[in-house]
Amino acid sequence: MTSSEDRINYLDHAATTPMRSEVLGKMLPYFTEKFGNPSSLYSIAGEARYGVDEARELVAQVLGSRTSEVVFTGGGSESNNLTIKGLAARRTPASGHIVTTAIEHHAVIHPVEQLEKLGYDATYVGVDASGQVDPDEFAAAVRADTFLASVMLVNNEVGTIQDVAEISRKSKAASKKLGGNILVHTDAVQGAGKVSLKVDELGVDLMSLSGHKIYGPKGTGILYVRRGVELEPLIAGGGQERQRRSGTENVASIVGIGEALALAESERLGSRDRFDSLSNKLIEGVAERIPASSFNGSRSSRVPEIANFSFPGVEGEPVLLGLDFKGIAASSGSACSSASLEPSHVLLAMGVSPELAVGSVRISLGRETTEADIEEVLGALKSVLDQLATFPSA
């Protein structure tokens, strides 16, 4: 962070991230001199097509996949919807069952709920108090007609890492035993730059990613689709992306997400110790200064960039407004639902009481977060909570 007095101590990187200068620099030529339509045949179009091809190669290297298995989309939500609805559309509701978890992002839960209204069936597997899914319990929910298992790699609210590889292995074994053919999808939007995304190691057939979580452009995403998996497209038209996502390619943003993902992966291992240190300082500091607080999530299987706390007797919104007044940006649960005072579905699934869940605050660290930023938020949290405690309760 900068040292100017009007700086923002930005601690909501799980919601979105600022674009890296390297990413912007790579994108800029595709807005101007390399503006061609990649589907055309002349040289300007060839320059645009090269940018898309290069980005696809960068993504494939990170995922350990073929370039033909990389689909560029308009974001993580679209990638999730394309997976769920695109697979469902190739079968009848009467023979369609999905297994997912109770703590998925709404971009997974809501499409599944839409399918349920059409006659498909779904099972939402619960989690323990740390937000962990039991692979055996998940596999036990698989039926002969289960065509999709969807498990988030890293939870966006509490940072818990799921053992996707084990869940996939056991779910596929259970499906095979029942004579089924299940496909495994992971929403890995919060995992990029934090954990390995090698698709064969994870045992997944589909994977969703997003650009703006990794210092890339908003409105761009990736869907990995294993060779042989057939999806009905959500968007029909020109047949781009091998008939899986029509529409003239958003070349500049595709170039941006490719560069952002490659940079995130190249720095991933080298950043772990720094984030571990900052996260431990934050968690220990909150426990020391605010003893009534509680930490939500796993201490052993989590990404250090995301930390979630509950504070009794308050709601998250006034805490966030108090922090914002002090120049600190944080979040309450998922950014997609932060305007609502409804308790987080993730925390409720973990057994957190509704009263504590509405008083939750998520602090998510980024590339520029420093120890001084952690000290600042610790002091500000204590000050805001002390001030709120003086207000009369309703």
Side-chain angles (χ1 to χ4, degrees), residues 119-136:
Y120 294 85
D121 202 4
T123 300
Y124 302 86
V125 179
V127 296
D128 64 18
S130 70
Q132 206 79 40
V133 178
D134 183 337
D136 289 318

Side-chain angles (χ1 to χ4, degrees), residues 100-119:
T100 187
T101 82
I103 62 167
E104 297 298 306
H105 192 280
H106 284 137
V108 167
I109 290 178
H110 288 171
V112 173
E113 289 176 342
Q114 288 179 322
L115 289 181
E116 287 184 281
K117 293 177 182 178
L118 297 175

Side-chain angles (χ1 to χ4, degrees), residues 23-366:
V23 173
L24 179 60
K26 194 95 180 262
M27 293 171 63
L28 285 176
Y30 294 91
F31 290 110
T32 52
E33 65 265 26
K34 299 181 180 181
F35 63 87
N37 185 324
S39 297
S40 299
L41 297 177
Y42 38 77
S43 58
I44 293 177
E47 291 177 339
R49 189 162 54 251
Y50 175 81
V52 172
D53 291 343
E54 183 184 42
R56 208 182 302 275
E57 289 174 3
L58 290 174
V59 173
Q61 288 172 12
V62 174
L63 304 187
S65 73
R66 299 175 176 87
T67 55
S68 61
E69 296 172 317
V70 175
V71 179
F72 291 113
T73 71
S77 292
E78 183 188 330
S79 296
N80 288 339
N81 274 261
L82 176 54
T83 294
I84 295 163
K85 296 175 181 177
L87 290 175
R90 301 189 69 86
R91 61 195 305 127
T92 62
S95 63
H97 176 242
I98 297 171
V99 181
T100 187
T101 82
I103 62 167
E104 297 298 306
H105 192 280
H106 284 137
V108 167
I109 290 178
H110 288 171
V112 173
E113 289 176 342
Q114 288 179 322
L115 289 181
E116 287 184 281
K117 293 177 182 178
L118 297 175
Y120 294 85
D121 202 4
T123 300
Y124 302 86
V125 179
V127 296
D128 64 18
S130 70
Q132 206 79 40
V133 178
D134 183 337
D136 289 318
E137 183 179 351
F138 192 96
V142 172
R143 306 186 328 206
D145 63 341
T146 306
F147 66 93
L148 174 65
S150 185
V151 184
M152 181 181 275
L153 182 57
V154 173
N155 185 264
N156 57 304
E157 293 194 33
V158 297
T160 300
I161 303 170
Q162 302 300 340
D163 190 348
V164 171
E166 187 68 0
I167 291 171
S168 175
R169 185 183 69 80
K170 291 188 173 183
S171 296
K172 289 189 173 187
S175 178
K176 184 177 181 180
K177 187 175 181 179
L178 294 168
N181 184 28
I182 195 172
L183 296 174
V184 177
H185 163 257
T186 186
D187 175 348
V189 164
Q190 293 292 348
K194 302 179 182 75
V195 298
S196 172
L197 299 178
K198 296 299 184 186
V199 291
D200 287 343
E201 294 175 4
L202 291 169
V204 297
D205 303 293
L206 304 106
M207 173 189 286
S208 301
L209 297 167
S210 174
H212 74 105
K213 308 293 188 181
I214 50 174
Y215 303 88
K218 294 179 177 65
T220 185
I222 295 163
L223 178 62
Y224 159 75
V225 183
R226 187 175 292 279
R227 186 170 65 173
V229 173
E230 295 185 355
L231 294 169
E232 194 69 24
L234 294 180
I235 303 173
Q240 287 85 353
E241 297 299 298
R242 294 176 177 261
Q243 306 292 327
R244 295 171 295 196
R245 204 274 188 181
S246 291
T248 301
E249 294 89 345
N250 183 356
V251 178
S253 289
I254 287 171
V255 168
I257 193 174
E259 184 71 7
L261 184 63
L263 288 170
E265 176 62 18
S266 70
E267 298 170 355
R268 176 172 62 87
L269 294 178
S271 67
R272 295 303 86 198
D273 288 345
R274 187 179 78 86
F275 280 120
D276 281 336
S277 177
L278 291 173
S279 187
N280 289 336
K281 181 180 180 66
L282 172 65
I283 294 170
E284 292 167 5
V286 169
E288 179 182 340
R289 302 188 192 198
I290 312 166
S293 67
S294 55
F295 172 78
N296 299 314
S298 170
R299 289 302 303 268
S300 59
S301 182
R302 58 180 288 269
V303 295
E305 287 90 339
I306 300 175
N308 189 298
F309 305 92
S310 287
F311 304 104
V314 298
E315 291 180 342
E317 184 178 28
V319 177
L320 297 181
L321 292 174
L323 291 176
D324 183 50
F325 184 77
K326 295 177 180 292
I328 299 170
S331 180
S332 179
S334 169
C336 298
S337 60
S338 58
S340 172
L341 292 180
E342 292 295 316
S344 156
H345 72 285
V346 172
L347 297 183
L348 292 180
M350 292 165 55
V352 177
S353 69
E355 294 75 20
L356 271 180
V358 296
S360 69
V361 171
R362 180 187 69 184
I363 296 173
S364 47
L365 317 180

